[in-house]
Amino acid sequence: MEHLFDYVGHFGRFQAYLYFASAFQTISCGIHYLASVFIAVTPKFICRAPGNISTVLLPNASTLRLEDAWESWTSKDYLVVQQENGDIWELNQCSLLKREDASYLTYFYDGNKTLFSCSNGYHYDKSNLESSIVTEWDLVCDREWLAKLIQPIFMLGVLIGAVIFGDIADRVGRRPIIWITSTGQFLFGIAVAFTFDYYSFVIVRFLLAMVSSGYYVVVFVYLTEYVGIKARTWASMHVHAFFAVGVMIVSLVGFLVRTWWIYQIILSLTTLPFVLCCWMLPETPFWLYSQGKYKEVEKLIRTIEKWNKISTPCKLSELCPAQETHVDQPNTLKNHNVLDLFYNWSFARRTITVWLIWFTGSLGYYVFALNSVNLGGNEYLNLFLTGAVEIPSYIVACLGMDKIGRRNTLAPFLIISAVICGVIMLIPQDHSTVTIAMSMAGKFSIAVAFGLIYLYTAELYPTIVRSLAVGSGSMMCRIGSVVAPFCVYLTDVWIFMPQMLVGIMAFLTGILTLTLPETLGIPLTSTMEEAAEMGTTSGITKRKALTESNGVVMEKLDQTTDNAAS
């Protein structure tokens, strides 16, 4: 099927239409993946006393309104409030004390007090945020852990959705899954805004995560099966750039809209334009061809010819001489499993290293993104910058892997991100601008590594286990995204704990990456023995000698399509 692109063009007008229409929807994936950053914000809060407040005392000030006290109050202090009936209370974040002697109002008091729980709810600082799910359902104090589970549960849905929809797309086609998942993104995205309690919110968000992940995985396959080899590296890499645009939109809408359910509806509406037109997208020629639907492939080729202004018609049999594949011929090939990735010691070391790269790339990506709102300064600007720095990082990744090689780009940027994490830990906490700048540099470096691992993994393994290798690596990637929120929560233990963990993992993984063979300019391997020889002098000589063979060239093209997309 690769001959098709030599005939109709590698990135003609037809492919450009499909690419930008489908990649546009990827923006919604970036939106929903990071939307919880502002949905689950915990503002300043304090226990609510029964009755109406007439006076508020701070250590060095007093006011008549609680709203005027938030700017001067810190969680280390308690608030003293006097109610209209004369009762005096000391308010803490998760408890309150009633003074027995209410004859005089002072901040400090040594008399008897009665301890109460926060049964009347909480007061929240609404100066910067009108509402979040934390304020809606009081996810603080002994319910704080519920708020911290929101992002990990979402990422668990991402993991499951990638597995389920990726498999179904291979069975029923890419187009039906794109319809289902994009429609699901819109419906579940809107439904999240109308959930009535925490548990319904988590369940609907979990379903939203599944369809968002399903779309992201399948659209990657869909687009790379429509783009020729000459444009495939750049086209597939920049699907990630649309995801980064979604992150930037989250920060912009979060800045403009401070009510969580309105914020959620506005973000979900970005899906609507694609939902209205996605039914016009055709199935990919690769999937149709694999299913023996040759007449539909012929019809699709006629459409592409018309869009790309190809004047000389061509038949499928001329593009694919092997069309007469015997579909009823029994399959004599061995079924492979994950143990084949540990074929020998060399393969085992390679697989462990590749899995670590996937895990570390995802861990670092989401730790830098989720932790950006904790860096100081303007949290909305910080998140916007984490998305903005990704776009040039993918350009650098494309240039690097084509000029100096996959390994020689991947390893240095992993090590650089580790060094940046170390530098961040040395910056004084009152220098927030420097910390933000270094965090953006760290996100840039990890995004370079994260972007190119897809193609590099496909090139490191032979045809018979290539899909298995990319699929298992993707699973490690999802595990990293589940772990990332918990790493961010460790700032409660030590403010630099996330950077330390990412730095250690990135440094160790970067060193191990140097042991992997370089694949730039090396044809794809077909057998375990050929892949095992990769990186050795004899192996390189043998593989390069085969580049003049059309069969080997076509194998590289076909397998890059199938596996870079996976």
Side-chain angles (χ1 to χ4, degrees):
M1 283 300 294
E2 258 327 316
H3 284 307
L4 172 65
F5 299 116
D6 293 327
Y7 168 63
V8 301
H10 290 257
F11 196 76
R13 191 169 63 150
F14 184 80
Q15 290 103 315
Y17 160 73
L18 294 181
Y19 181 84
F20 288 106
S22 302
F24 173 81
Q25 179 66 4
T26 309
I27 294 174
S28 293
C29 298
I31 285 173
H32 294 307
Y33 276 42
L34 275 299
S36 66
V37 171
F38 298 125
I39 285 180
V41 170
T42 302
K44 290 182 179 180
F45 67 95
I46 202 162
C47 205
R48 181 188 296 271
N52 297 320
I53 296 174
S54 60
T55 306
V56 180
L57 288 184
L58 291 98
N60 300 311
S62 64
T63 181
L64 298 178
R65 300 172 65 248
L66 183 61
E67 290 78 6
D68 299 328
W70 289 119
E71 185 175 353
S72 303
W73 178 79
T74 65
S75 58
K76 296 179 181 179
D77 300 322
Y78 58 86
L79 284 179
V80 176
V81 298
Q82 186 174 41
Q83 296 181 307
E84 292 178 350
N85 62 4
D87 291 342
I88 299 176
W89 296 80
E90 294 180 9
L91 308 183
N92 296 292
Q93 282 196 312
C94 299
S95 64
L96 65 163
L97 299 164
K98 183 179 181 181
R99 294 180 179 178
E100 298 295 333
D101 184 1
S103 58
Y104 58 97
L105 178 63
T106 60
Y107 186 82
F108 298 103
Y109 173 76
D110 296 328
N112 295 328
K113 306 173 187 178
T114 303
L115 178 66
F116 292 88
S117 63
C118 297
S119 57
N120 296 296
Y122 302 86
H123 292 287
Y124 294 99
D125 178 11
K126 296 186 177 183
S127 57
N128 295 318
L129 182 73
E130 185 62 30
S131 72
S132 70
I133 62 166
V134 173
T135 65
E136 187 93 0
W137 299 310
D138 289 337
L139 304 182
V140 293
C141 297
D142 59 341
R143 289 168 56 86
E144 180 183 11
W145 65 277
L146 293 173
K148 290 186 175 182
L149 279 180
I150 289 171
Q151 189 66 17
I153 291 175
F154 183 91
M155 289 303 182
L156 182 61
V158 167
L159 189 157
I160 295 174
V163 175
I164 292 176
F165 287 108
D167 179 65
I168 296 176
D170 286 337
R171 299 172 186 270
V172 304
R174 287 69 164 108
R175 184 173 64 168
I177 300 304
I178 286 178
W179 290 353
I180 292 170
T181 54
S182 57
T183 303
Q185 277 186 292
F186 175 71
L187 295 178
F188 291 132
I190 296 294
V192 165
F194 295 97
T195 49
F196 52 86
D197 62 9
Y198 171 81
Y199 298 101
S200 61
F201 173 86
V202 168
I203 291 171
V204 177
R205 281 259 304 170
F206 182 85
L207 297 174
L208 176 61
M210 289 182 61
V211 294
S212 297
S213 174
Y215 182 86
Y216 195 43
V217 169
V218 175
V219 80
F220 195 93
V221 177
Y222 183 83
L223 292 176
T224 52
E225 288 183 352
Y226 263 112
V227 178
I229 189 66
K230 293 180 180 179
R232 191 169 294 143
T233 298
W234 284 80
S236 61
M237 185 71 74
H238 283 84
V239 171
H240 301 298
F242 285 89
F243 185 96
V245 172
V247 176
M248 297 161 67
I249 291 175
V250 167
S251 63
L252 178 62
V253 176
F255 175 75
L256 297 175
V257 181
R258 305 300 175 92
T259 301
W260 77 269
W261 61 272
I262 299 177
Y263 160 88
Q264 177 65 32
I265 290 175
I266 292 174
L267 291 179
S268 300
L269 288 175
T270 58
T271 308
L272 187 58
F274 182 77
V275 171
L276 296 177
C277 68
C278 68
W279 60 272
M280 294 186 292
L281 299 180
E283 185 55 79
T284 71
F286 279 84
W287 188 84
L288 292 172
Y289 186 79
S290 70
Q291 301 298 308
K293 299 181 179 182
Y294 304 124
K295 290 184 179 180
E296 293 185 38
V297 177
E298 291 272 12
K299 183 178 179 181
L300 181 58
I301 291 175
R302 299 287 85 80
T303 302
I304 299 175
E305 288 174 347
K306 182 179 179 180
W307 276 73
N308 290 0
K309 299 182 178 179
I310 305 298
S311 57
T312 306
C314 184
K315 293 183 178 180
L316 178 62
S317 58
E318 298 174 5
L319 296 173
C320 307
Q323 179 179 333
E324 61 277 5
T325 301
H326 300 291
V327 294
D328 296 329
Q329 182 177 353
N331 183 12
T332 58
L333 295 177
K334 173 187 174 183
N335 291 323
H336 294 274
N337 56 51
V338 72
L339 294 179
D340 290 302
L341 300 180
F342 298 84
Y343 169 73
N344 56 27
W345 167 245
S346 175
F347 254 83
R349 185 177 59 188
R350 183 181 303 180
T351 297
I352 292 172
T353 301
V354 167
W355 282 0
L356 281 173
I357 296 171
W358 281 90
F359 177 85
T360 302
S362 180
L363 178 71
Y365 181 94
Y366 287 106
V367 164
F368 278 115
L370 296 172
N371 196 48
S372 63
V373 296
N374 301 324
L375 297 176
N378 189 307
E379 57 189 10
Y380 302 100
L381 178 61
N382 292 351
L383 184 63
F384 182 89
L385 291 176
T386 63
V389 298
E390 282 187 56
I391 297 175
S393 76
Y394 297 132
I395 297 175
V396 170
C398 288
L399 293 174
M401 54 200 249
D402 286 342
K403 299 295 183 182
I404 64 176
R406 283 72 158 126
R407 179 192 63 189
N408 298 334
T409 302
L410 178 60
F413 275 99
L414 282 171
I415 295 173
I416 288 172
S417 64
V419 172
I420 290 173
C421 286
V423 171
I424 291 173
M425 295 166 62
L426 299 176
I427 299 173
Q429 294 187 27
D430 57 342
H431 289 63
S432 61
T433 302
V434 181
T435 301
I436 293 169
M438 294 306 298
S439 295
M440 296 307 116
K443 178 66 183 302
F444 178 95
S445 299
I446 208 72
V448 171
F450 194 36
L452 65 83
I453 185 56
Y454 288 83
L455 181 59
Y456 191 31
T457 301
E459 294 176 338
L460 283 171
Y461 290 88
T463 302
I464 55 177
V465 294
R466 188 167 294 128
S467 293
L468 184 64
V470 176
S472 64
S474 182
M475 287 291 292
M476 295 302 297
C477 167
R478 309 304 174 192
I479 293 172
S481 66
V482 173
V483 173
F486 292 107
C487 289
V488 175
Y489 298 150
L490 289 176
T491 52
D492 295 338
V493 178
W494 183 40
I495 191 170
F496 294 123
M497 185 66 78
Q499 287 84 356
M500 186 183 74
L501 294 175
V502 172
I504 292 173
M505 289 298 301
F507 182 78
L508 293 176
T509 305
I511 297 299
L512 289 173
T513 301
L514 294 173
T515 66
L516 296 175
E518 180 55 67
T519 61
L520 177 63
I522 306 298
L524 295 182
T525 56
S526 299
T527 67
M528 303 295 282
E529 291 75 15
E530 290 173 349
E533 290 182 349
M534 186 182 293
T536 64
T537 303
S538 60
I540 293 174
T541 302
K542 290 178 183 178
R543 298 304 298 163
K544 284 190 173 181
L546 294 175
T547 55
E548 297 179 359
S549 170
N550 290 335
V552 173
V553 172
M554 288 308 301
E555 164 70 4
K556 182 176 178 72
L557 295 175
D558 289 336
Q559 295 306 322
T560 301
T561 299
D562 295 337
N563 297 284
S566 300

